[in-house]
Amino acid sequence: MSYRDLRNFTEMMRALGYSRLISMENFRSPNFSLVAEVLIWLVKRYDPNADLPSDIDTEQDRVIFIKSVAQFMATKAHIKLNTKRLYGADGYAVKELLKVTSVLYDAMKTNVTEDSSESNLNPVSFDLSSRISDLKQCRTLASEITSKGASLYDLLGREVDLREMRSIAISKPLELNELESGISSSIVNVKDDIKKTNHMLDNIASDEANLEAKIEKKKAELERNHKRLKSLESVRPAFMDEYEKLEVELKTIYEGYMEKYRNLTYLEHLLEEVNRTEQNKFEENEANLRQLQERIRSEEKKSLQSDNFNSLDDFGGGDDDDDDEVLIDTGGRRPPGAKADAPRVVGSMGGGDISDEGDSSLSSGDSDIGVDDDEDIIDDDDIDDINNVESGSQDGESLNDSDDNF
């Protein structure tokens, strides 16, 4: 900030008519309220219809105010202001304020009038609202100019042919007979048109009377129709009672029909559900039976395989090298590989010691064979009965196993 800038600013503001006195000491320290007041006054002096925010209490409000002022001066007066210096509100802000005041001061000096004081007090107005109609008119004129220019271009393109025709018509000598005949024919045509128009004027009265008669006739017919309509509305038809009864019966029948239809649809739905459940049960039973059949088949295969193994074992046991087979029954069971018709011998296979004494051998043989009074000797018939009983018990056990598996 320089002393010269501050002095020029204060003198310009005083010349522009600012009501408050600005001293040089006001900008020694930041004074935002004074800067905001001066900016508002300068903007209003430049455009009285300008709308600026007046709140400068908070920091955000001050920033918005400075931005709006800088934007207004840039768009309207094409003056670029430094917003940082304006926000500082010190001596550097005077340089930015001096840009606006110098423009207004120069404009005031150029617009010199007889009464300089009144001209200084009157604000310069730039009201664009009154120019809106002029802008619309300019747009319409511009569109008309373009259309006229296009039509003129087309006509100038046809000027070559028209020039030849015009020169031929000018060079041709005028014939009075043809000219008189043309004028007379045009006169006759005009007279015919005049007669037709006069005749139409004479017939206007008659046509008007005919139209009025038709209008009256239509009005009378319309009134008759209105009266007949009222009479028909007031009179009750003879069949109206029967119609109402039939309407009530139809309503009841329709209600019954709707109820039966709903019941029928509900029963059909239940039938579909029952059929679906039966079908599911049937499919489940078939699946269970199929699984059971497969299980029985597998068990039969296993039993056949076990029988085959037993038969192979029996076949291998029958090919012994001994010619004489001795069957010993212990506990009443037939050993494997024994035949039903083979002789059975009950006793032990161990031979007794041969001694010189016959009594001792006899006594030992008797004791080994088991010929005693207290012990019973088992016959072949008894052994067959025992075997039959055991085979029957085994068959019963196999049947029980099959029943359990089933």
Side-chain angles (χ1 to χ4, degrees):
M1 178 189 71
S2 64
Y3 178 81
R4 183 179 178 182
D5 293 335
L6 187 57
R7 186 191 62 185
N8 292 333
F9 176 71
T10 54
E11 293 296 330
M12 287 179 184
M13 290 297 292
R14 190 180 296 110
L16 289 172
Y18 187 64
S19 60
R20 180 177 174 179
L21 294 176
I22 300 173
S23 65
M24 296 181 183
E25 299 296 328
N26 289 331
F27 295 98
R28 295 291 180 186
S29 61
N31 191 357
F32 191 84
S33 60
L34 179 59
V35 173
E37 185 178 357
V38 170
L39 285 173
I40 292 171
W41 187 83
L42 291 173
V43 170
K44 292 294 183 181
R45 181 68 183 249
Y46 195 88
D47 188 4
N49 296 320
D51 188 9
L52 295 175
S54 60
D55 295 332
I56 56 172
D57 296 330
T58 62
E59 181 180 358
Q60 187 68 26
D61 295 335
R62 293 178 181 180
V63 171
I64 293 170
F65 173 75
I66 294 296
K67 285 184 177 180
S68 61
V69 170
Q71 186 176 3
F72 177 82
M73 297 307 296
T75 55
K76 298 293 183 180
H78 301 285
I79 299 172
K80 186 177 180 182
L81 299 176
N82 192 345
T83 55
K84 291 183 179 179
R85 291 182 178 179
L86 290 174
Y87 188 80
D90 53 359
Y92 294 101
V94 176
K95 293 183 178 181
E96 304 301 323
L97 295 172
L98 192 60
K99 296 178 182 179
V100 183
T101 54
S102 62
V103 172
L104 295 175
Y105 185 75
D106 294 335
M108 183 186 67
K109 286 195 299 183
T110 56
N111 190 12
V112 178
T113 58
E114 294 180 354
D115 192 0
S116 61
S117 62
E118 292 180 359
S119 63
N120 291 328
L121 294 174
N122 290 327
V124 180
S125 62
F126 292 93
D127 190 6
L128 296 177
S129 61
S130 61
R131 301 292 181 89
I132 294 174
S133 60
D134 296 337
L135 291 173
K136 291 181 179 178
Q137 188 176 2
C138 290
R139 289 178 182 175
T140 55
L141 290 174
S143 62
E144 288 179 1
I145 287 169
T146 54
S147 62
K148 295 292 185 182
S151 62
L152 181 61
Y153 180 77
D154 295 334
L155 293 174
L156 290 174
R158 294 170 56 190
E159 178 62 22
V160 178
D161 298 332
L162 293 174
R163 188 184 297 114
E164 293 179 357
M165 294 172 66
R166 188 169 57 251
S167 62
I168 291 168
I170 291 170
S171 63
K172 185 184 291 185
L174 295 175
E175 295 181 359
L176 297 176
N177 295 326
E178 292 180 359
L179 186 59
E180 289 177 358
S181 62
I183 292 170
S184 61
S185 62
S186 60
I187 290 169
V188 170
N189 292 327
V190 170
K191 287 181 179 180
D192 292 335
D193 293 335
I194 292 168
K195 286 181 181 179
K196 288 179 180 179
T197 52
N198 291 326
H199 183 69
M200 292 173 67
L201 290 172
D202 295 334
N203 293 329
I204 285 174
S206 59
D207 293 337
E208 187 177 359
N210 293 327
L211 290 173
E212 288 179 355
K214 288 181 181 179
I215 290 168
E216 294 294 334
K217 185 177 180 181
K218 292 294 183 181
K219 286 182 179 180
E221 187 176 357
L222 181 62
E223 289 178 358
R224 286 198 303 272
N225 290 328
H226 278 297
K227 289 180 181 179
R228 181 163 180 79
L229 179 62
K230 290 180 180 179
S231 63
L232 291 173
E233 288 177 354
S234 61
V235 175
R236 184 179 177 82
F239 57 85
M240 196 65 188
D241 297 333
E242 186 178 359
Y243 173 77
E244 290 178 354
K245 291 180 182 179
L246 293 174
E247 189 175 4
V248 173
E249 290 179 359
L250 178 62
K251 187 176 181 180
T252 54
I253 292 168
Y254 181 74
E255 290 177 355
Y257 167 75
M258 290 301 295
E259 185 177 359
K260 290 180 180 179
Y261 182 76
R262 285 196 297 270
N263 294 330
L264 180 61
T265 53
Y266 177 70
L267 292 174
E268 288 178 352
H269 179 67
L270 291 178
L271 181 61
E272 289 179 356
E273 290 183 352
V274 170
N275 292 330
R276 192 181 297 109
T277 53
E278 289 181 355
Q279 184 67 24
N280 294 330
K281 288 181 180 179
F282 180 72
E283 291 178 355
E284 290 178 358
N285 292 329
E286 284 187 351
N288 293 328
L289 290 173
R290 199 177 293 109
Q291 292 177 358
L292 185 61
Q293 288 176 0
E294 291 178 356
R295 190 185 300 168
I296 291 169
R297 287 175 184 174
S298 63
E299 290 178 356
E300 287 179 355
K301 286 181 181 179
K302 289 180 181 179
S303 63
L304 288 172
Q305 290 177 359
S306 63
D307 292 338
N308 290 328
F309 288 140
N310 292 327
S311 64
L312 289 173
D313 293 336
D314 294 339
F315 180 75
D319 294 336
D320 292 336
D321 295 334
D322 296 335
D323 294 334
D324 297 332
E325 293 179 356
V326 179
L327 301 177
I328 300 171
D329 191 0
T330 60
R333 293 183 181 180
R334 182 180 297 173
K339 296 180 180 180
D341 297 334
R344 295 181 177 83
V345 177
V346 178
S348 62
M349 295 298 293
D353 295 333
I354 299 171
S355 62
D356 294 335
E357 295 178 358
D359 295 333
S360 63
S361 64
L362 181 63
S363 62
S364 62
D366 293 336
S367 62
D368 292 331
I369 296 171
V371 182
D372 293 328
D373 295 334
D374 297 330
E375 295 178 355
D376 295 332
I377 297 172
I378 299 172
D379 296 333
D380 294 336
D381 296 332
D382 295 332
I383 291 169
D384 293 333
D385 293 334
I386 291 168
N387 291 327
N388 291 326
V389 171
E390 289 179 354
S391 65
S393 65
Q394 291 177 359
D395 294 336
E397 290 176 358
S398 64
L399 290 174
N400 291 325
D401 294 335
S402 65
D403 291 334
D404 294 334
N405 294 326
F406 184 80

